[in-house]
Amino acid sequence: TQQVGIYGSALSGYDATDLEISHNYFAYSTASILLRGWKNSSIHDNYFYQNWGSATAHSQQISAATSTNISVYNNIFKDTLDFLLSAHNELGGNSYWNIYNNIVIGGTGGFAMGESGELDGLVSSQFHNNTFVNVAFQPKGAIFVGNLTNVATQKSYAYNNLFYNCSNPRMDNVDKTAGAIIHDNNAYLSCTGIYSSAAESTPLIDNVDPFVDSATGNYQLRAGSLPINKGKAL
């Protein structure tokens, strides 16, 4: 598609519920999925390939606002520009997103607030067990939630993510509300640039390729590789 692949906008509140988007191939849009007013829905087992952007069309695979309890899992994102998830606070923010078991290859995209000047746009969410390979993240890093009104009740969590050959895989919510993302037990392998492992009690840092055969896209962990049995029980 040239602009938006799936467009679902329920503008009067949480009117779109129990939706499932799965087993699709998305390519060459500015936003593969645009959702507004969604709850209790899932996006899984899709392949997202490339996207584009301009001064008037933001580049984002998933564009979200006014949503709650959305699960994003078992997807592949390949060569994404700018945002895997671009969260906005238009008629309301996004809460209780569960993002796990995705593979992200190449590109510059992360899971983030799309408008960093907005408040409470991405709160109380979970980012676990994702694999990032050869991603050159934007300065805000891999996960960025922006400013929160109440960090005690709105913070998000990121555990057991694996970064290989990535630059700037930050999860410290750059220049915004401190403590907004609690993260630990993440693996930073052959990474460069700024990343926030110092904020973790048990980060894994090394300069190895942990995969069975990354050259052919087999991102299973090798027997005995560093991250095995080092994850946090969730």
Side-chain angles (χ1 to χ4, degrees), residues 6-230:
I6 292 178
Y7 185 98
S9 184
L11 293 179
S12 60
Y14 298 128
D15 294 336
T17 185
D18 300 296
L19 301 175
E20 180 180 14
I21 298 178
S22 68
H23 298 88
N24 300 286
Y25 179 87
F26 296 96
Y28 309 123
S29 51
T30 57
S32 295
I33 300 171
L34 183 146
L35 59 93
R36 301 289 188 271
W38 289 29
K39 68 177 180 181
N40 305 337
S41 297
S42 62
I43 300 169
H44 66 90
D45 294 281
N46 300 287
Y47 196 110
F48 296 85
Y49 179 65
Q50 294 190 359
N51 60 334
W52 65 274
S54 69
T56 57
H58 292 173
S59 47
Q60 48 204 337
Q61 293 289 15
I62 302 172
S63 174
T66 320
S67 67
T68 187
N69 194 28
I70 310 295
S71 294
V72 179
Y73 60 93
N74 296 355
N75 301 286
I76 294 175
F77 296 89
K78 179 74 163 63
D79 294 338
T80 295
L81 179 67
D82 292 339
F83 295 105
L84 304 168
L85 165 66
S86 181
H88 305 271
N89 193 342
E90 294 173 359
L91 300 175
N94 306 277
S95 61
Y96 302 106
W97 279 62
N98 302 292
I99 297 176
Y100 59 94
N101 292 359
N102 299 287
I103 299 176
V104 181
I105 308 162
T108 62
F111 298 106
M113 269 294 296
E115 303 290 345
S116 60
E118 294 176 344
L119 183 66
D120 300 337
L122 183 57
V123 306
S124 304
S125 294
Q126 310 278 337
F127 305 85
H128 307 317
N129 298 94
N130 299 290
T131 297
F132 301 86
V133 181
N134 301 330
V135 183
F137 292 104
Q138 300 288 332
K140 298 297 184 182
I143 301 172
F144 173 77
V145 299
N147 280 322
L148 306 180
T149 300
N150 187 338
V151 68
T153 61
Q154 294 177 317
K155 66 182 63 174
S156 295
Y157 299 85
Y159 298 125
N160 303 346
N161 298 289
L162 191 159
F163 300 93
Y164 172 68
N165 196 36
C166 294
S167 61
N168 300 317
R170 303 181 70 163
M171 293 185 284
D172 56 344
N173 207 37
V174 185
D175 298 327
K176 299 299 180 181
T177 301
I181 304 168
I182 305 300
H183 55 97
D184 209 347
N185 295 83
N186 297 292
Y188 304 89
L189 307 178
S190 301
C191 291
T192 60
I194 299 172
Y195 51 101
S196 49
S197 62
E200 303 186 13
S201 61
T202 54
L204 302 175
I205 302 174
D206 210 322
N207 291 307
V208 296
D209 181 344
F211 303 116
V212 170
D213 189 354
S214 59
T216 62
N218 186 341
Y219 300 115
Q220 287 185 310
L221 294 177
R222 285 185 291 102
S225 67
L226 182 65
I228 288 179
N229 297 327
K230 299 293 179 62

